[in-house]
């Protein structure tokens, strides 16, 4: 989930936003069952066999990805089949993970509590899924499009907002409503058209629950969901209540051969999107309640009719792909419909899956940054491969004319879960693009943030892995041109096809041109100054020539300093997610000064050409430098880095 230094770190923000549940870039470890274990029947049934399987699988994952601690619960037929902790909740104190009491941050799985709360209020008649959400707010979302945003759009991640990461993990003195109003993202597409995962929209839903219930979101989920289900070791509050704080697992990054402890992450105003801390046992109770259509023992959180409505498929980009229920998203495979949700903070990575037809639920959470490598798909895929194996798929054979058709699918695609109007747009310059190339014999190669997919033709526009569940679907316009791509396991996003002029490569070429000219000035100008033997000031023209060179040198230094400052800001991912705007504002001051200096350079270049300074090559070099300076500012403006677009 995290790329590192300098500007590449800002690119990593795209991957965090695009895939909040981790990465599939590494293969699933192959774990042989213990010699004493019998071949399991379809689906887990024997707790001893399940424990033996998980012991081997989790041990392999912890070793491969340097994960300090893991907690897992599996529920079946209304009971906890297995709940177990692996490794350490506190490495320094050698405190083991206790599945009953050790709290892990579950990230975006917290959204399921918000969605449940919304459905409770719908059930009580206080909310209407199809009403304009402005009816429930004390501020107004602009009427950018004729269609209003509804809670149904929010629950299916189709409200049409751009996405932001800046300030997601932040503390604020603003009330939740004030923060939501101040940080309202731009509406960039009509609601109900394409999914684009939105933490902001979920926080908005949590705030709506507050307004219609008269309770804070944190108190609401505790009294209306957690307490009825007996979820003693769970809370959405931050900092943790005094009685729960000693049970919180530490969060870690593995660096320099050791586990480095990190601070407790505060997800303040956007708490409804990701603040819950819970034990594996508590999450087991939550899963059982949703598998049993809203009840656990004597506790009921939803009426059965409401629950069935919540779990039914509500939105999808195509029937052949996973889509959305109301809040839950589909993770279907192995011939089974699966709904669930993943979740990440910076240090904790989690996944939850429910299979109603099997009365089965699976929850996993890790407390180390490396856990993102297993939480989105590898763990659950390994679990499903073991308990619900599927027979080999029929060979996929492309039609003879496929090579002629294939080229229209090739190109770069950018996920629509991104910023369009703020400085975060620049992340698309360095990462997040999905590249598709044509392979052999009806095969496409898709280089995605989840790893490289090799997919083969199934039918026009639809491709899947020959021996796996992952698929790609391409959308065409009326002219037969490919406009979008949908990644099967990521129903929360669409990827828009980029023209060459929109793609990162074109802009990297332009920026490379500018930087090359800046570098030439940084190198050549000092050399020329040192070699110059005449004294500036004796000849007015000679003094002006030297002044123009100093001006060019100053501009080159200014822009290089800006890139260094931007890299330093971007490299501090915690500061970006924490919403620390001051360093960014200071860095963005440099290009504004650069605008003024560039005007001076342009005037100098025109005068140099008219006056015949420096000889032909000298004038050409200065003119190219002036052009490079203009191109650089245009690029900064394109990527929302000219001005304070924060």
């Amino acid at each position: 989930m995290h790329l590192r230094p300098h500007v590449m770190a800002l690119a990593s923000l795209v991957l965090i936003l695009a895939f909040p549940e981790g990465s599939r870039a590494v293969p699933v470890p192959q774990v042989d069952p213990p010699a004493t274990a019998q071949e399991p029947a379809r689906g887990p049934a024997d707790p001893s066999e399940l424990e033996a399987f998980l012991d081997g699988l989790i041990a392999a994952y912890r070793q491969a990805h340097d994960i300090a601690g893991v907690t897992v619960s599996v529920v079946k037929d209304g009971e906890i089949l297995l709940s177990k902790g692996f490794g350490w909740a506190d490495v320094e104190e050698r405190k083991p993970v206790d599945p009953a009491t050790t709290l892990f941050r579950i990230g975006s799985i917290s959204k399921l509590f918000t969605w449940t709360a919304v459905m409770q209020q719908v059930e009580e008649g206080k909310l209407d899924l199809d009403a304009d959400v402005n009816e429930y707010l004390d501020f107004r979302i602009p009427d950018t499009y004729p269609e209003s945003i509804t809670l149904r759009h929010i629950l299916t991640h189709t409200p049409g907002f751009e996405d932001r990461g800046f300030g997601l993990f932040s503390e604020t003195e603003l009330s939740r409503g004030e923060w939501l109003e101040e940080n309202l993202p731009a509406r960039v597409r009509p609601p109900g058209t394409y999914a684009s995962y939105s933490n902001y929209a979920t926080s908005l839903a949590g705030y709506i629950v507050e307004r219609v219930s008269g309770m804070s979101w944190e108190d609401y989920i505790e009294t209306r969901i957690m307490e009825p289900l007996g979820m003693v070791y769970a809370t959405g509050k931050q900092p943790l209540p005094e009685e729960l704080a000693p049970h919180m697992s530490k969060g870690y990054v593995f660096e320099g051969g050791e586990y480095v402890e990190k601070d407790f992450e505060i997800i303040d105003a956007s708490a409804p999107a990701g603040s819950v801390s819970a034990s594996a046992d508590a999450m087991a109770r939550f899963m059982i309640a949703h598998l049993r259509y809203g009840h656990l023992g004597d506790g009921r959180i939803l009426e059965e009719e409401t629950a069935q409505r919540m779990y039914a498929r509500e939105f999808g980009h195509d029937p052949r792909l996973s889509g959305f229920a109301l809040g839950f998203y589909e993770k279907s495979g192995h011939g089974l419909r699966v709904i669930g949700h993943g979740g990440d903070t910076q240090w904790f990575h989690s996944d939850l899956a429910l299979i109603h037809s099997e009365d089965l639920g699976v929850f996993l959470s890790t407390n180390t940054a490396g856990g993102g490598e297993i939480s989105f798909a590898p763990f659950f895929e390994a679990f499903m491969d073991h308990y619900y194996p599927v027979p080999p798929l029929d060979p996929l054979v492309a039609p003879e004319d496929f090579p002629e058709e294939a080229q229209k699918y090739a190109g770069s695609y950018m996920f629509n879960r991104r910023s369009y109007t703020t400085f975060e747009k620049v992340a698309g310059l360095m990462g997040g693009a999905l590249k598709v190339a044509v392979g052999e014999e009806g095969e496409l190669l898709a280089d995605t943030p989840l790893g490289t997919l090799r997919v083969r033709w199934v039918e026009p526009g639809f491709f899947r892995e020959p021996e796996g569940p992952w698929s790609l679907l391409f959308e065409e316009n009326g002219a037969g041109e490919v406009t979008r791509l949908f990644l099967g396991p990521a129903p929360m996003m669409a990827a828009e096809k980029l023209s060459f002029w929109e793609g990162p490569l074109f802009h990297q070429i332009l920026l490379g041109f500018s930087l090359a000219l800046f570098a030439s000035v940084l190198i050549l100008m000092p050399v020329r100054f040192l070699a110059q033997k005449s004294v500036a000031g004796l000849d007015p023209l000679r003094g002006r020539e030297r002044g123009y060179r100093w001006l060019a040198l100053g501009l080159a230094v200014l822009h290089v300093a800006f890139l260094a400052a931007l890299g330093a800001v971007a490299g501090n991912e915690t500061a970006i997610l924490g919403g620390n705007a001051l360093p960014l504002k200071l860095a963005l001051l440099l290009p504004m000064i650069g605008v003024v200096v560039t005007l001076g350079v342009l005037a100098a270049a025109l005068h140099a050409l008219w006056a015949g300074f420096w000889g032909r090559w000298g004038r050409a070099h200065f003119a190219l430098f002036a052009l490079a300076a203009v191109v650089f500012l245009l690029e900064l403006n394109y990527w929302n880095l000219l001005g304070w677009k924060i």
Side-chain angles (χ1 to χ4, degrees):
M1 153 171 163
H2 309 290
L3 298 173
R4 285 293 181 243
H6 305 309
V7 177
M8 287 299 292
L10 187 55
S12 77
L13 193 56
V14 160
L15 307 188
I16 296 170
L17 298 177
F19 292 92
E21 290 80 37
S23 169
R24 182 186 183 256
V26 293
V28 176
Q30 300 300 309
V31 180
D32 294 328
T36 56
Q38 297 179 350
E39 189 70 22
R42 184 171 172 83
D46 180 0
S48 298
E49 186 281 328
L50 174 61
E51 184 173 16
F53 168 69
L54 291 178
D55 283 349
L57 184 65
I58 299 301
Y61 282 143
R62 289 187 62 215
Q63 181 177 6
H65 304 296
D66 300 306
I67 302 171
V70 180
T71 195
V72 177
S73 57
V74 179
V75 300
K76 185 79 166 67
D77 300 327
E79 303 288 341
I80 298 179
L81 187 62
L82 181 71
S83 185
K84 187 169 183 177
F86 304 82
W88 310 108
D90 187 324
V91 173
E92 184 177 356
E93 298 293 332
R94 310 307 281 177
K95 181 180 179 181
V97 174
D98 184 336
T101 62
T102 303
L103 278 65
F104 279 54
R105 305 304 300 275
I106 65 170
S108 288
I109 297 176
S110 307
K111 291 178 172 65
L112 297 181
F113 291 85
T114 301
W115 306 140
T116 302
V118 167
M119 295 306 293
Q120 287 178 336
Q121 294 302 299
V122 169
E123 192 173 82
E124 294 177 14
K126 295 180 180 178
L127 291 177
D128 182 343
L129 291 178
D130 297 308
D132 184 341
V133 295
N134 280 313
E135 295 182 14
Y136 306 115
L137 298 173
D138 53 358
F139 61 92
R140 184 164 187 83
I141 298 173
D143 299 323
T144 309
Y145 298 95
E147 303 88 352
S148 299
I149 295 174
T150 69
L151 282 168
R152 192 181 303 277
H153 294 138
I154 289 176
L155 266 68
T156 55
H157 288 281
T158 59
F161 290 127
E162 68 175 340
D163 201 50
R164 300 288 316 274
F166 187 77
L168 184 61
F169 294 86
S170 64
E171 296 184 63
T172 178
E173 296 180 358
L174 299 175
S175 69
R176 184 159 291 143
E178 290 170 337
W179 185 91
L180 288 166
E181 182 176 13
E182 188 173 295
N183 290 274
L184 179 65
R187 296 180 65 183
V188 294
R189 66 184 63 84
T193 51
Y194 296 99
S196 179
Y197 192 87
S198 177
N199 287 302
Y200 176 89
T202 309
S203 303
L204 194 69
Y207 180 56
I208 288 172
V209 168
E210 290 184 342
R211 286 183 53 76
V212 299
S213 70
M215 303 169 64
S216 71
W217 174 83
E218 291 84 354
D219 286 339
Y220 184 98
I221 64 167
E222 191 167 296
T223 58
R224 294 292 306 274
I225 300 173
M226 293 175 176
E227 288 180 5
L229 298 181
M231 298 175 64
V232 177
Y233 291 92
T235 184
K237 294 178 178 176
Q238 304 166 108
L240 294 175
E242 184 177 345
E243 66 274 14
L244 292 179
H247 300 284
M248 185 68 222
S249 170
K250 306 291 186 182
Y252 295 97
V253 170
F254 190 78
E255 294 178 340
E258 62 181 8
Y259 292 101
V260 179
E261 182 181 325
K262 295 295 183 178
D263 293 336
F264 183 85
E265 299 158 279
I266 298 294
I267 307 169
D268 202 341
S270 56
S275 75
V276 169
S277 304
S279 71
D281 277 15
M283 292 308 297
R285 302 182 74 83
F286 184 74
M287 289 192 292
I288 292 172
H290 274 290
L291 286 167
R292 292 303 171 98
Y293 296 92
H295 80 93
L296 171 62
D298 295 331
R300 177 169 286 280
I301 57 174
L302 291 172
E303 295 300 325
E304 183 170 343
E305 182 180 352
T306 306
Q308 289 179 339
R309 183 183 180 189
M310 185 177 185
Y311 311 142
R313 182 179 171 105
E314 179 66 32
F315 174 86
H317 292 121
D318 187 273
R320 293 166 289 186
L321 302 175
S322 291
F324 272 96
L326 289 173
F328 289 89
Y329 61 77
E330 292 178 327
K331 303 155 66 73
S332 302
H334 294 72
L336 297 167
R337 183 173 186 260
V338 184
I339 62 172
H341 214 289
D344 288 68
T345 69
Q346 294 177 88
W347 325 125
F348 291 82
H349 306 275
S350 310
D351 196 23
L352 180 148
L354 304 177
I355 310 176
H356 280 91
S357 63
E358 298 289 310
D359 202 1
L360 173 69
V362 182
F363 169 78
L364 165 136
S365 187
T366 70
N367 64 5
T368 311
E373 297 291 347
I374 69 171
S375 63
F376 181 73
F379 169 76
F380 188 63
E381 283 185 0
F383 183 93
M384 295 297 286
D385 286 343
H386 184 69
Y387 288 108
Y388 298 96
V390 294
L393 300 172
D394 294 334
L396 297 174
V397 180
E400 293 183 0
D401 62 350
F402 175 75
E404 301 174 7
E405 177 190 11
Q407 290 300 328
K408 72 178 181 180
Y409 303 116
S412 293
Y413 299 77
M414 185 68 71
F415 288 107
N416 65 349
R417 190 188 174 203
R418 65 181 191 269
S419 173
Y420 293 78
T421 67
T422 77
F423 80 97
E424 292 176 75
K425 179 182 178 181
V426 74
L429 178 65
M430 300 301 295
L434 188 156
K435 298 179 181 178
V436 176
V438 180
E440 299 178 354
E441 300 179 359
E443 188 174 68
L444 295 180
L445 306 178
D447 183 14
T448 82
L450 301 175
T452 299
L453 297 182
R454 305 176 71 91
V455 294
R456 296 181 66 86
W457 187 93
V458 178
E459 54 188 276
F462 186 61
F463 299 76
R464 67 167 169 79
E465 292 180 298
E467 298 179 356
W470 291 42
S471 57
L472 294 180
L473 176 72
F474 296 87
E475 181 182 84
E476 299 181 13
N477 60 19
E481 300 168 330
V482 173
T483 56
R484 287 179 180 83
L485 176 154
F486 305 101
L487 186 60
M492 68 290 294
M493 292 175 294
E496 300 160 343
K497 192 171 186 182
L498 305 176
S499 68
F500 176 74
W501 317 109
E502 297 172 310
L505 178 60
F506 173 71
H507 295 281
Q508 289 166 2
I509 291 171
L510 291 181
L511 286 169
F513 163 74
S514 295
L515 291 176
L517 267 296
F518 296 164
S520 70
V521 168
L522 290 172
I523 295 170
L524 294 177
M525 291 303 183
V527 172
R528 285 176 175 169
F529 292 150
L530 292 173
Q532 191 83 35
K533 294 183 179 180
S534 63
V535 179
L538 297 181
D539 181 346
L541 289 180
R542 177 65 66 186
R544 188 170 294 177
E545 291 177 41
R546 289 170 64 86
Y548 289 170
R549 287 171 177 167
W550 276 109
L551 189 66
L553 181 61
L555 183 60
V557 169
L558 189 69
H559 285 324
V560 171
F562 166 67
L563 292 178
L566 181 64
V569 171
N572 190 347
E573 189 176 280
T574 300
I576 291 178
L577 294 174
N580 185 0
L582 181 59
L584 183 61
K585 288 181 177 179
L586 292 175
L588 292 173
L589 177 63
L590 299 179
M592 298 304 294
I593 298 172
V595 171
V596 177
V597 180
T598 298
L599 292 175
V601 167
L602 285 173
L606 292 174
H607 183 255
L609 290 172
W610 176 79
F613 290 174
W614 307 312
R616 181 182 302 171
W617 293 111
R619 292 193 300 274
H621 178 252
F622 199 92
L624 283 173
F625 174 81
L627 176 62
V630 172
V631 168
F632 188 74
L633 290 179
L634 291 174
E635 280 295 297
L636 293 186
N637 187 60
Y638 180 84
W639 295 107
N640 296 328
L641 295 173
L642 198 58
W644 289 270
K645 298 172 184 176
I646 301 174

